[in-house]
Amino acid sequence: MSVVGFDLGFQNCHVAIARAGGIETVANEFSDRCTPAVVSFGTKNRTIGVAAKNQLITNATNTVYNFKTFHGREFSDPFVQKERSNLAYELVPTNNGGVGVKVMYMEDGHVFSVEQITAMLLTKLKETAESNLKKPVTDCVISVPSFFTDANRRSLLDAAQIVGLNCLKLMNDMTAVALNYGIYKQDLPAPEEKPKIVVFVDMGHSSLQLSACAFNKGKLKVLGTAFDPYLGGRNFDEMLVEYFCGEFKTKYRLDVKSKIRALLRLYQECEKLKKLMSSNSTDLPLNIECFMNDLDVSGRMNRSQFETLCADLLQRIDAPLHSLMEQIQLRVEDISSVEVIGGATRIPAVKERITKFFGKDVSTTLNADEAVARGCALQCAILSPAFKVREFSVTDVVPYPISLRWNTEADEAEGIHEVYSRNHAAPFSKVLTFYRKNPFQLEAFYSDPATIPYPEPKIGQFVVQNISASKDGEKSKVKVKVRVNTHGIFSVSTASVVEKMEVEEKEDQCVESGVEMRNEGATETMENDKPVQQETHIAGSQPQVQTDGQHSPPPPESTSEEHKVTETEKVSEKKSDKPPEAKKPKIKVKNIELPIETSFVWQLGKDLLNMYIENEGRMILQDKLEKERNDAKNAVEEYVYECREKLSGPYSKCICEEDLSRLSELLTETENWLYEDGEDQPRQVYVEKLEELKKLGTPVHERYREAAERPKMFGELGQKLQHYAKIVEEYNSQSETYQHISVDNMKKVEKCVRETMEWMNNAMNAQAKQRLDQNPAVYVHEIKAQRDVLESSCHRIVTQPKPKVELPKSDNPVNGVNHKNENIQAEKNKTAPSQCNGDCHPNEKETIDMDLD
């Protein structure tokens, strides 16, 4: 199982994996751990990441960037319309009213939805993870801004599904940062002690996010979140761009905004200047060559000017800070530390603003760029059964209050209730109880539309179906379970009708049949859909819910409620029973699941989603084929330049004049063909061209390689021959080392050495007569074969062990050792002091006496 965390940033993305007992941020094919969130479309394929960013200027209208915040939005959204005017590519409405991108791809016009564009980016990040893990990646955790609404989050999940990723959790950016911070801390207070309060501030390229978290050992609880979705590093870039546009208009009479390429170049240079000003307070130049109309432009800016220019932006930082402190109801003195991350927090004025508000220096212990990805990878490891992670619980919050509205019958007032307040714990489930005779509709919406960065407060509609009156004609009791899941998405997960029936006591001693709704460790909210008032009770606090006495249910329903709740209450009922009365029938409660028809404000249909999945598969295949074609073309080009360079160098002595002329001519023809007719050919054409070149080039390369390796191989063979010839010589001189070898075997060694030496001399003489530009008389593999034959024939014989000789045993052993070994034992005993204290064995005393003599 893969453990991967994806940080999908507005400008840049990061990939973190769990490996070798830790979390590691991995690099892409450019050895860069940062992958730009850019997708570029060409005539043959797509380019994503670093390669796509490099085409931002040259292929501006077909290169897509800054698309993250378009998720879950309609084309008519005011935010989309505002952003549309600042983009080089064209935004158009899709068939379902969403945001689409119109580009030229494969020499044809295409419209891709924002989900498809994000899926393409995820494809690249998935490939980066797989190339590092060396295995397929499916399960992952993906980061998401904490201010994203349900529609935004569902859209992002659809993008993950298009590329075949199983997103275990959409994790809020700030919660991921807090997990990355807390899980490694060893000095957190014990669970029963007062928690450590830490504020996290993240200002990235597009937004400002804050969260306050309470830490105990093995526990993290988010207390509150605040944000400004439209304040980030790009706003500071825009201020610089506006300033220099005005300066260039006055100084050079250039209308920069009239040409998109010039504007994009200015954005890039202003971003670089902003980063330089973060570390330098002196005047810094901005120079761009051939900017517009073949003019070079220049300007200057220093940090104090920059801060004055961006004063309004810096003031906007205070509002989310005040909002956060109001939510958590704590004083600034209660904050233990303030951790900052995100690229824009490197701006000194931003740090100063945060420092001034909290009255303490900000901490930068976390990696400003990679903290979110690392936190997502940690969360994925916690969710994975394949990894053992330190126990650490994470409790997130609901960023916006959520309410439910339901349709009512003629005699009832309108039903509306807030099921989740702001900063309510998440994930969380609640159970609502309704009394109905007919199907009814629930509508979920955000209670405070002014606080959400989204024009539509509605979340979705849920129709509970197949409801009818009970057997006695009364309203049926319907239990509806609502939840905010692990992705932070609200839904009505289940609905069931409670049916009661009388059973004989002997039939079933169990009063209920498996039908209590799970509470998932939360509170159970019982809603009585009747006029006048509603009441909310903690689970298990009362056996039934009533609005008031006059609206009590009829007796049968009341009886069933008395018997519902828990076994503990049943026991208490039995204890309170009076003396034996007539046996009452037992009530069996049965819950029947009801179908729910769901309609969200934003959700891709199954047919559309399947079509996107198929399209992504085709585009991935096309990218693969194009890569193979380019690799084949590059292989031809590389061979031409490499071969030409070596022909004038090391290969010059290994080729005759005629072959050199023919090969050089072919190389020149191929080079010219590559940049003319061969610019865009199928892969097979390049493969055939390379084979044609190798027919002439490979023999030259082989001759060069043979000439380089042959002396070394002859040297190795000569050493082996000298080694075995010396053994034969020692044997003939009656050396004891090899006398155990039989005469016949040694003759075999001698014969093999003689024949091999004769072959080597003949081969060396023959090769000496050959020129380097001719095919060799003897090849390296032949010399190697002779060496291996010599080694296998002789080594086995000369290394055979000596036979063991058993010596006759002595009749009078001394200390258990034969007489032949007596001197050895005596020498040992001379060096070791005697340990005898009079209790030694008689033989041991005798041995000692002998040694002393």
Side-chain angles (χ1 to χ4, degrees), residues 285-296:
L286 180 139
N287 300 312
I288 310 176
E289 296 180 354
C290 297
F291 182 59
M292 283 180 67
N293 305 332
D294 294 331
L295 285 176
D296 299 341

Side-chain angles (χ1 to χ4, degrees), residues 134-251:
K134 308 299 181 187
K135 61 180 179 181
V137 168
T138 304
D139 298 312
C140 65
V141 169
I142 301 175
S143 72
V144 63
S146 53
F147 56 80
F148 260 25
T149 64
D150 275 39
N152 302 135
R153 293 169 188 263
R154 281 192 293 271
S155 177
L156 196 55
L157 282 177
D158 288 338
Q161 191 173 346
I162 290 170
V163 78
L165 286 172
N166 176 31
C167 182
L168 302 178
K169 181 174 184 176
L170 282 181
M171 193 171 196
N172 290 333
D173 290 339
M174 303 313 296
T175 309
V177 173
L179 175 59
N180 182 38
Y181 172 86
I183 200 167
Y184 294 112
K185 287 289 181 182
Q186 302 296 327
D187 58 346
L188 296 178
E192 65 277 2
E193 295 179 3
K194 184 180 178 181
K196 178 181 179 180
I197 310 298
V198 181
V199 170
F200 297 93
V201 181
D202 174 13
M203 182 182 276
H205 189 65
S206 67
S207 62
L208 169 64
Q209 301 181 68
L210 303 94
S211 73
C213 302
F215 289 95
N216 288 91
K217 193 171 183 180
K219 181 181 177 183
L220 152 66
K221 182 179 181 182
V222 180
L223 302 178
T225 60
F227 29 76
D228 186 338
Y230 310 116
L231 176 62
R234 69 169 180 162
N235 299 93
F236 294 91
D237 296 342
E238 287 170 0
M239 284 293 182
L240 288 173
V241 169
E242 288 293 332
Y243 172 82
F244 284 111
C245 279
E247 183 175 314
F248 294 161
K249 190 169 187 177
T250 305
K251 190 174 179 181

Side-chain angles (χ1 to χ4, degrees), residues 334-348:
D334 298 327
I335 306 300
S336 299
S337 65
V338 181
E339 293 282 339
V340 296
I341 66 162
T345 57
R346 295 186 175 100
I347 300 174

Side-chain angles (χ1 to χ4, degrees), residues 721 724-725 727-729 731-732 743-757 790 794 797-798:
L721 286 170
Y724 292 116
I727 290 175
V728 172
E729 185 180 346
Y731 181 84
N732 293 335
V743 175
D744 291 340
N745 282 339
M746 190 53 73
K747 284 183 178 180
K748 290 179 182 177
V749 173
E750 187 176 3
K751 180 183 178 184
C752 187
V753 169
R754 185 176 62 252
E755 290 176 350
T756 304
M757 189 171 292
L790 176 69
C794 301
I797 296 174
V798 300

Side-chain angles (χ1 to χ4, degrees), residues 330-397:
L330 293 174
R331 299 172 301 167
V332 173
E333 294 77 17
D334 298 327
I335 306 300
S336 299
S337 65
V338 181
E339 293 282 339
V340 296
I341 66 162
T345 57
R346 295 186 175 100
I347 300 174
V350 173
K351 283 185 181 178
E352 289 171 10
R353 202 89 185 181
I354 300 169
T355 300
K356 182 179 178 182
F357 181 87
F358 289 103
K360 62 186 69 179
D361 290 337
V362 297
S363 176
T364 55
T365 56
L366 295 172
N367 187 307
D369 300 316
E370 301 172 6
V372 175
R374 293 174 63 84
C376 290
L378 280 167
Q379 180 65 67
C380 193
I382 291 171
L383 296 173
S384 168
F387 281 79
K388 187 176 181 181
V389 185
R390 183 185 298 119
E391 289 292 330
F392 202 88
S393 68
V394 179
T395 304
D396 212 330
V397 294

Side-chain angles (χ1 to χ4, degrees), residues 98 115 146 152 359 371 380 398 508 526 584 667 733 801:
E115 289 86 1
S146 53
N152 302 135
C380 193
V398 179
D508 195 350
M526 296 268 196
K584 295 181 180 180
L667 290 173
S733 61

Side-chain angles (χ1 to χ4, degrees), residues 222-476:
V222 180
L223 302 178
T225 60
F227 29 76
D228 186 338
Y230 310 116
L231 176 62
R234 69 169 180 162
N235 299 93
F236 294 91
D237 296 342
E238 287 170 0
M239 284 293 182
L240 288 173
V241 169
E242 288 293 332
Y243 172 82
F244 284 111
C245 279
E247 183 175 314
F248 294 161
K249 190 169 187 177
T250 305
K251 190 174 179 181
Y252 300 101
R253 296 182 181 179
L254 294 175
D255 184 8
V256 179
K257 294 184 179 180
S258 65
K259 290 190 177 180
I260 191 64
R261 291 188 178 184
L263 186 60
L264 290 173
R265 286 187 68 189
L266 184 58
Y267 264 102
Q268 290 181 346
E269 294 301 322
C270 286
E271 185 179 358
K272 293 176 185 177
L273 181 63
K274 178 189 69 175
K275 293 177 180 178
L276 287 172
M277 285 190 292
S278 295
S279 55
N280 295 277
S281 57
T282 58
D283 275 9
L284 295 171
L286 180 139
N287 300 312
I288 310 176
E289 296 180 354
C290 297
F291 182 59
M292 283 180 67
N293 305 332
D294 294 331
L295 285 176
D296 299 341
V297 296
S298 64
R300 301 192 73 81
M301 176 72 71
N302 60 43
R303 187 189 294 174
S304 60
Q305 285 179 275
F306 175 63
E307 291 175 359
T308 304
L309 194 67
C310 302
D312 292 342
L313 295 177
L314 295 171
Q315 287 180 358
R316 287 172 58 182
I317 297 174
D318 291 344
L321 293 172
H322 285 292
S323 173
L324 181 68
M325 297 308 294
E326 288 174 7
Q327 291 176 48
I328 63 177
Q329 295 294 307
L330 293 174
R331 299 172 301 167
V332 173
E333 294 77 17
D334 298 327
I335 306 300
S336 299
S337 65
V338 181
E339 293 282 339
V340 296
I341 66 162
T345 57
R346 295 186 175 100
I347 300 174
V350 173
K351 283 185 181 178
E352 289 171 10
R353 202 89 185 181
I354 300 169
T355 300
K356 182 179 178 182
F357 181 87
F358 289 103
K360 62 186 69 179
D361 290 337
V362 297
S363 176
T364 55
T365 56
L366 295 172
N367 187 307
D369 300 316
E370 301 172 6
V372 175
R374 293 174 63 84
C376 290
L378 280 167
Q379 180 65 67
C380 193
I382 291 171
L383 296 173
S384 168
F387 281 79
K388 187 176 181 181
V389 185
R390 183 185 298 119
E391 289 292 330
F392 202 88
S393 68
V394 179
T395 304
D396 212 330
V397 294
V398 179
Y400 311 112
I402 299 174
S403 295
L404 271 182
R405 181 187 293 114
W406 52 88
N407 58 346
T408 55
E409 297 181 5
D411 59 339
E412 296 174 340
E414 182 183 25
I416 188 169
H417 180 69
E418 184 174 280
V419 286
Y420 292 103
S421 59
R422 185 175 187 181
N423 294 329
H424 192 289
F428 205 94
S429 296
K430 292 187 178 184
V431 175
L432 313 178
T433 302
F434 296 87
Y435 292 87
R436 290 297 171 119
K437 290 183 179 180
N438 301 305
F440 64 100
Q441 176 180 287
L442 296 169
E443 182 183 292
F445 62 96
Y446 292 111
S447 310
D448 188 2
T451 61
I452 61 173
Y454 194 77
E456 177 57 72
K458 291 181 182 178
I459 296 174
Q461 293 180 340
F462 312 89
V463 179
V464 183
Q465 300 176 330
N466 295 0
I467 301 174
S468 58
S470 58
K471 294 178 181 178
D472 53 11
E474 292 297 323
K475 295 179 179 179
S476 298

Side-chain angles (χ1 to χ4, degrees), residues 718-786:
Q719 288 177 357
K720 292 290 182 185
L721 286 170
Q722 289 179 7
H723 173 68
Y724 292 116
K726 186 177 180 181
I727 290 175
V728 172
E729 185 180 346
E730 289 183 13
Y731 181 84
N732 293 335
S733 61
Q734 302 297 316
S735 172
E736 290 187 8
T737 309
Y738 301 104
Q739 288 305 307
H740 62 282
I741 301 174
S742 67
V743 175
D744 291 340
N745 282 339
M746 190 53 73
K747 284 183 178 180
K748 290 179 182 177
V749 173
E750 187 176 3
K751 180 183 178 184
C752 187
V753 169
R754 185 176 62 252
E755 290 176 350
T756 304
M757 189 171 292
E758 183 180 348
W759 179 89
M760 188 177 85
N761 290 332
N762 292 335
M764 292 179 74
N765 292 332
Q767 182 58 43
K769 297 176 183 178
Q770 294 288 100
R771 298 195 313 270
L772 287 177
D773 60 359
Q774 294 177 324
N775 289 334
V778 60
Y779 288 90
V780 169
H781 68 86
E782 294 175 336
I783 305 172
K784 186 178 178 182
Q786 286 292 331

